[in-house]
Amino acid sequence: MSIADELIKNLMGLGLSNYEARAFIALALYRETTAPNIARRAKIPLSKIYSVLRSLEEKGLIESQSKRPKVYRIVDPDYSLENLLKKYEERKNTIKELLRKVLSLEKYEKGGLWVVSGLDNIIRRVRDLMNKSAISLALATPDYLLKKFSSKLSALGRNGVNLSLVIYETDSMKTKFYVNTLSKYARVKVRSIPAVSTLFIDREVGVVFYLKTSNEMPYLDESYAMIVEDENLLRMINDFFHLALWLTSTDVGPNLNLFSKPLSYTHFWRLVEDVDILFKNNLGPVYVEIEGSYVKSKEPAYIKGEVIDYSIGENWLSYSIVVKSNEGKVTVGGWGCFLEDVEAKKVILYSSFCEKIFSSK
């Protein structure tokens, strides 16, 4: 692609028509000239060139002298393009606001399974979904892809999002770098056998994505992602990440400093595993605040107290904790539990490391 073609593509991206972009570039090459010369160089019909130039003037990109024949020149790009960008931004904001109003006219029920294709589209969509993380985020992906997400994950970790990260090792140096970088904010495990990339956010959305492009043929993009919003399918994503990816990966060693502040969880298996770490390192007492529902009545439940026991099943399919609260001993389970007293939807954990003093009153 020539410089002129690249310029045309980018100018059209800012809202110029093909004729306007070509005329603008032709005039830039002339510095200043007449309409027929611009039409000839830009290969624009003479019958069209005056309306094209009038549009460029209205956009503030060129100016003219009112003499015979009329002479045109481009305005200083530092000013004119900045003005164009400002108008583009204003138009983008207007469109976003109008779309929000349209989308709010009807209640939208999330659900189902959606497909995204194309490498760039998938990366943008995954980043966008990461921005919506409120409590817990679990991600399994190759080390070479973490370049796309590392800064975002670090920012989420600093802002209190609970991160569970599995790195597929393809390059030991890259993996070591990201382990050192991200273990400050996340529980990190490493897997020597790569699998499909998987993202699971709270209990709201899951993404399974496969990225495949060719350096020799970059136009051959066979990258696909499935965005999962259906609750039953999300349960499958939760179990797939936990059982097939998390438990089959090697723990790099828990960073106990993660427990120096309250941690929030929507992924119950991570909560119980962290309780296990705290108990085994004699870092009790451990306190929790739990939002959920009573298993039998389905009524909302709010439990606050000390964790006095926990259980991890032999097959890793069952996780529970026992909380000593004002209601007495309450057993708490995760998503879809039926033997426990309460199904937890959100849990806040306080260890003895926490600066905040937890009161079980």
Side-chain angles (χ1 to χ4, degrees):
M1 184 181 288
S2 68
I3 294 175
D5 289 337
E6 190 71 23
L7 270 171
I8 289 171
K9 178 182 174 182
N10 282 279
L11 287 168
M12 289 177 68
L14 291 177
L16 269 63
S17 69
N18 182 272
Y19 276 177
E20 288 171 343
R22 284 157 55 185
F24 182 76
I25 294 168
L27 182 52
L29 293 170
Y30 274 118
R31 301 296 192 275
E32 59 178 61
T33 190
T34 61
N37 287 337
I38 298 168
R40 185 164 49 253
R41 189 153 196 170
K43 295 183 172 57
I44 297 171
L46 193 58
S47 60
K48 302 280 188 182
I49 192 64
Y50 290 101
S51 62
V52 171
L53 293 172
R54 189 180 311 114
S55 178
L56 289 173
E57 281 193 273
E58 291 170 356
K59 288 179 169 69
L61 294 172
I62 69 173
E63 54 193 14
S64 63
Q65 285 183 336
S66 54
K67 61 181 185 181
R68 302 288 182 188
K70 203 171 192 178
V71 175
Y72 299 86
R73 70 177 183 184
I74 66 168
V75 176
D76 180 359
D78 286 341
Y79 166 78
S80 59
L81 290 178
E82 192 65 37
N83 189 48
L84 185 65
L85 284 168
K86 183 180 177 182
K87 289 181 178 178
Y88 179 86
E89 194 67 26
E90 288 173 352
R91 186 174 291 113
K92 182 185 78 172
N93 291 335
T94 299
I95 292 171
K96 286 170 65 176
E97 183 60 32
L98 290 171
L99 276 173
R100 272 194 290 267
K101 289 180 179 178
V102 169
L103 292 172
S104 67
L105 293 176
E106 295 285 343
K107 185 178 179 181
Y108 172 65
E109 297 290 343
K110 290 201 306 179
L113 186 150
W114 306 84
V115 176
V116 180
S117 60
L119 176 63
D120 292 340
N121 293 329
I122 293 168
I123 297 298
R124 279 195 297 267
R125 195 72 178 96
V126 169
R127 283 176 173 163
D128 177 60
L129 290 170
M130 284 182 174
N131 285 332
K132 295 177 172 61
S133 303
I135 300 170
S136 295
L137 181 150
L139 174 67
T141 200
D143 45 23
Y144 57 83
L145 271 184
L146 279 173
K147 181 180 180 181
K148 306 285 187 181
F149 309 122
S150 178
S151 59
K152 178 71 65 181
L153 291 168
S154 297
L156 291 170
R158 284 193 294 270
N159 290 332
V161 175
N162 196 334
L163 305 174
S164 305
L165 178 62
V166 174
I167 302 175
Y168 303 152
E169 182 177 0
T170 66
D171 181 313
S172 60
M173 294 298 290
K174 283 182 181 176
T175 295
K176 184 177 180 181
F177 171 78
Y178 288 117
V179 165
N180 292 336
T181 301
L182 295 169
S183 60
K184 301 172 188 175
Y185 314 105
R187 281 279 309 279
V188 180
K189 292 191 174 188
V190 175
R191 197 171 195 269
S192 57
I193 302 175
V196 67
S197 292
T198 305
L199 173 69
F200 183 45
I201 297 173
D202 296 325
R203 286 165 56 163
E204 299 296 323
V205 64
V207 184
V208 178
F209 53 105
Y210 171 74
L211 306 183
K212 181 182 178 182
T213 56
S214 167
N215 291 331
E216 293 78 21
M217 295 180 288
Y219 55 85
L220 187 61
D221 187 347
E222 298 178 357
S223 303
Y224 294 94
M226 292 187 299
I227 299 177
V228 178
E229 296 176 350
D230 177 83
E231 184 174 354
N232 294 319
L233 293 175
L234 285 172
R235 288 277 301 278
M236 292 174 61
I237 297 288
N238 175 70
D239 291 344
F240 172 72
F241 184 92
H242 175 223
L243 299 172
L245 302 178
W246 184 256
L247 291 177
T248 60
S249 301
T250 303
D251 202 328
V252 300
N255 175 10
L256 296 179
N257 287 325
L258 291 174
F259 302 106
S260 62
K261 58 184 180 180
L263 292 175
S264 298
Y265 301 80
T266 52
H267 302 158
F268 192 75
W269 48 268
R270 248 301 301 276
L271 165 76
V272 182
E273 289 187 12
D274 284 0
V275 168
D276 179 58
I277 290 170
L278 291 168
F279 273 56
K280 287 180 177 176
N281 284 277
N282 296 315
L283 295 175
V286 177
Y287 297 98
V288 289
E289 293 180 62
I290 298 167
E291 295 178 26
S293 59
Y294 290 102
V295 171
K296 290 183 178 179
S297 69
K298 306 302 181 186
E299 293 293 320
Y302 176 71
I303 306 297
K304 186 176 181 181
E306 181 183 354
V307 179
I308 58 173
D309 199 3
Y310 67 96
S311 172
I312 299 176
E314 290 184 8
N315 55 7
W316 296 289
L317 291 175
S318 61
Y319 285 70
S320 65
I321 59 175
V322 181
V323 180
K324 182 181 178 182
S325 72
N326 288 341
E327 298 183 21
K329 293 182 181 179
V330 180
T331 58
V332 181
W335 206 347
C337 68
F338 56 90
L339 295 176
E340 291 77 11
D341 301 316
V342 170
E343 177 184 339
K345 292 182 172 63
K346 175 185 175 182
V347 182
I348 303 175
L349 177 146
Y350 305 87
S351 74
S352 60
F353 269 19
C354 291
E355 295 177 1
K356 176 176 177 178
I357 304 297
F358 183 92
S359 170
S360 59
K361 293 181 181 179

